């Protein structure tokens, strides 16, 4: 394990976001004419600062402005970089071209998604798990569906999240009104149960110490830690939800990267259909981050306390707030799930896995403690005793590499960085070279104890 301490500098790059981005409650009113009488949504005032990834982009732009001639490498936000496979792109192109003809033109489609695509999703990913096509809701991506699910759940529910966790679960909960205010001392919002998931508990929460909530957000493989829950652990989670009458929102966006036999879907667990909603996406496994396509599964058996089917309410939410995913994107999704499409996609996924392997070998060779990197494209790197935004800032300043500060994923992410295997191969190789040079130079001035470890 590397024992490194990163000290803050006067540079704005190493300041915490709370010092850079003023709380919405601390804004300075600028008078540019009269104000309306509309009172601001109090829930939006609760948000502590910028959403994580726009904040990283802001700092990236500052860095480029300061160093206009450097080659910046991003190992940060989880955007895909490889071209969409030709057959899939060709099918989308053909569909788009057909829209210019009388025979091929299509207008509004079903808000829940094209029936053929819904069946293909059910058959391809859930064929042996009893998921029916009418339980599949096609969308413009998992993140949009998280907000629609929050609209379904409402402000009166209590929620639990993994810590660290994907920030959209928390921020959408704040916006919808499920939380209290942010506590600076604990780095937590009131009324959210944070379930610690770190090396101390094999990245799975101690459910015996977890209080009951109405809803449990659970991501596997986890973003940011890269950890995939085992079948035994998910059995425990489903049992916990059934005992407490809770609902699990299960995010399986990274399931295509699983290598060790961990469950790809919560519905592999008996009884999950009675307590779980699953959200997933074409973004990462098919390179559709810009195309935008995802889906949500709501089983018929999932009921409110009064016995009313939750799927009925989600149907109402979707048909009210959404006109359906782009028909061009849905044509691409159908192409992805063809035999040729699935084969092409597997090649791209393997490319990112090789990137991940390159980064893993580099970081562990430097003695850094690295988790993840097996079942997800992310590496979760520990810098004991350091502030994650300070580590982010120094690596950016000295190597011109973008990473993601772990504290942006919750208090359990402090001292960590998330490093992504999404990127071009030559960038992975160059980033590895820069990181070796940086750490080998830097550790001359700090204690260096090599004891690298990796979990999942």
């Amino acid at each position: 394990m590397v024992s490194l301490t990163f000290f803050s500098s006067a540079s704005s790059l190493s300041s915490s976001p709370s010092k850079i981005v003023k709380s919405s409650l601390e804004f300075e009113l600028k008078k540019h004419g009269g104000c309306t009488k509309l009172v601001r949504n109090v829930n939006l005032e609760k948000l502590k600062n910028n959403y994580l990834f726009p904040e990283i982009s802001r700092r990236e732009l500052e860095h480029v402005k300061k160093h206009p001639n450097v080659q910046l490498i991003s190992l940060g936000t989880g955007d895909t970089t490889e071209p969409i496979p030709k057959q899939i792109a060709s099918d989308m192109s053909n569909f788009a071209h057909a829209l210019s003809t009388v025979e091929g033109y299509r207008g509004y489609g079903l808000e829940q998604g094209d029936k053929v695509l819904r069946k293909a999703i059910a058959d391809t990913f859930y064929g042996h798990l009893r998921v029916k096509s009418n339980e599949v809701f096609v969308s413009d991506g998992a993140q949009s569906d998280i907000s629609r699910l929050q609209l379904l759940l409402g402000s009166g529910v209590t929620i639990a999240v993994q810590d660290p966790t994907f920030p959209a679960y928390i921020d959408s909960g704040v916006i919808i009104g499920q939380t209290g205010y942010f506590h600076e001392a604990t780095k937590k919002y009131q009324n959210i149960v944070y379930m610690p998931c770190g090396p101390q508990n094999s990245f799975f929460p101690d459910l015996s110490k977890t209080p009951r909530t109405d809803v449990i957000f659970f991501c596997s493989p986890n973003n940011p830690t890269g950890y995939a829950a085992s079948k035994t652990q998910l059995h425990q989670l489903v049992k916990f939800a059934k005992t407490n009458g809770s609902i699990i929102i299960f995010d399986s966006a990274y399931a295509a990267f699983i290598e060790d036999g961990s469950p790809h879907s919560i519905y592999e667990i008996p009884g999950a259909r009675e307590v779980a909603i699953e959200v997933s996406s074409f973004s990462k496994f098919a390179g559709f981050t810009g195309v935008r396509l995802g889906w949500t599964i709501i089983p018929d058996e999932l009921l409110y306390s009064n016995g009313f089917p939750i799927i009925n309410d989600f149907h109402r939410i979707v048909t009210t707030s959404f006109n359906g995913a782009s028909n061009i994107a849905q044509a691409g999704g159908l192409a992805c799930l063809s035999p040729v499409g699935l084969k092409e996609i597997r090649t791209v996924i393997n490319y990112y896995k090789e990137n991940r392997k390159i980064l893993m070998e580099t970081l562990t060779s430097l003695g850094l403690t690295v988790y993840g990197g097996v079942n997800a494209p992310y590496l979760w790197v520990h810098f004991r005793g350091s502030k994650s935004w300070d580590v982010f800032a120094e690596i950016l300043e000295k190597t011109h590499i973008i990473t993601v500060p772990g504290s942006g994923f919750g208090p359990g992410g402090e001292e960590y960085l998330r490093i992504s295997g999404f990127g071009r191969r030559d960038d992975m190789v160059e980033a590895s070279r820069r990181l070796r040079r940086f750490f080998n130079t830097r550790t001359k001035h700090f204690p260096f104890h090599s004891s690298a470890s990796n979990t999942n």
Side-chain angles (χ1 to χ4, degrees), residues 111 147-148 151 314-324:
E111 293 92 342
S147 293
R148 292 187 192 102
L151 188 60
F314 193 64
H315 181 277
R316 187 69 172 86
I317 292 289
V318 168
T319 55
T320 299
S321 64
F322 187 49
N323 275 336

Side-chain angles (χ1 to χ4, degrees), residues 129-177:
L129 300 175
R130 296 173 39 229
V131 170
K132 301 182 288 290
S133 61
N134 71 290
E135 299 172 327
V136 179
F137 292 80
V138 177
S139 71
D140 54 346
Q143 188 153 340
S144 298
D145 270 348
I146 289 166
S147 293
R148 292 187 192 102
L149 287 168
Q150 291 284 33
L151 188 60
L152 170 81
L153 297 168
S155 60
V157 303
T158 54
I159 66 171
V161 298
Q162 293 159 290
D163 181 25
T165 193
F166 182 53
Y169 312 140
I170 293 175
D171 285 8
S172 61
V174 175
I175 292 170
I176 205 71

Side-chain angles (χ1 to χ4, degrees), residues 33-205:
C35 297
T36 70
K37 294 183 179 181
L38 181 67
V39 177
R40 189 182 182 207
N41 184 337
V42 67
N43 295 322
L44 290 171
E45 291 185 346
K46 295 176 185 176
L47 289 171
K48 179 56 183 171
N49 44 44
N50 277 1
Y51 187 66
L52 173 61
F53 299 109
E55 172 62 18
I56 291 171
S57 296
R58 188 190 69 78
R59 294 184 179 219
E60 178 180 340
L61 290 174
E62 279 189 3
H63 186 77
V64 170
K65 189 174 182 180
K66 182 180 177 182
H67 304 281
N69 298 318
V70 303
Q71 178 201 356
L72 192 70
I73 295 176
S74 178
L75 303 179
T77 54
D79 196 3
T80 52
T81 58
E82 293 312 289
I84 293 171
K86 288 185 178 180
Q87 184 59 54
I88 297 167
S90 177
D91 281 13
M92 285 192 285
S93 176
N94 291 340
F95 187 94
H97 180 73
L99 294 175
S100 68
T101 69
V102 172
E103 298 78 14
Y105 178 75
R106 299 289 184 275
Y108 288 125
L110 293 173
E111 293 92 342
Q112 306 92 328
D114 178 79
K115 289 183 177 180
V116 178
L117 177 59
R118 294 168 77 189
K119 185 177 187 306
I121 291 171
D123 291 345
T124 303
F125 298 108
Y126 309 97
H128 60 298
L129 300 175
R130 296 173 39 229
V131 170
K132 301 182 288 290
S133 61
N134 71 290
E135 299 172 327
V136 179
F137 292 80
V138 177
S139 71
D140 54 346
Q143 188 153 340
S144 298
D145 270 348
I146 289 166
S147 293
R148 292 187 192 102
L149 287 168
Q150 291 284 33
L151 188 60
L152 170 81
L153 297 168
S155 60
V157 303
T158 54
I159 66 171
V161 298
Q162 293 159 290
D163 181 25
T165 193
F166 182 53
Y169 312 140
I170 293 175
D171 285 8
S172 61
V174 175
I175 292 170
I176 205 71
Q178 296 165 349
T179 77
Y181 283 93
F182 184 80
H183 278 193
E184 190 64 45
T186 62
K187 306 297 182 184
K188 297 178 180 180
Y189 284 95
Q190 294 173 311
N191 303 334
I192 293 181
V193 172
Y194 291 75
M195 304 182 294
C197 295
Q200 74 281 1
N201 58 9
S202 298
F203 295 93
F204 187 80

Side-chain angles (χ1 to χ4, degrees), residues 392-445:
F392 164 91
E394 185 165 350
I395 289 177
L396 176 59
E397 184 65 26
K398 299 295 177 59
T399 70
H400 312 297
I401 293 173
I402 294 285
T403 58
V404 180
S407 60
F409 298 97
E414 190 61 276
E415 301 186 354
Y416 289 85
L417 289 183
R418 192 194 76 176
I419 293 179
S420 172
F422 288 122
R424 301 293 302 153
R425 181 63 45 77
D426 53 352
D427 284 344
M428 298 295 114
V429 173
E430 172 62 17
S432 295
R433 185 189 67 81
R434 294 183 193 181
L435 290 169
R436 282 195 181 95
R437 184 175 61 188
F438 170 70
F439 284 107
N440 284 333
T441 300
R442 199 180 196 288
T443 52
K444 291 178 181 178
H445 308 287

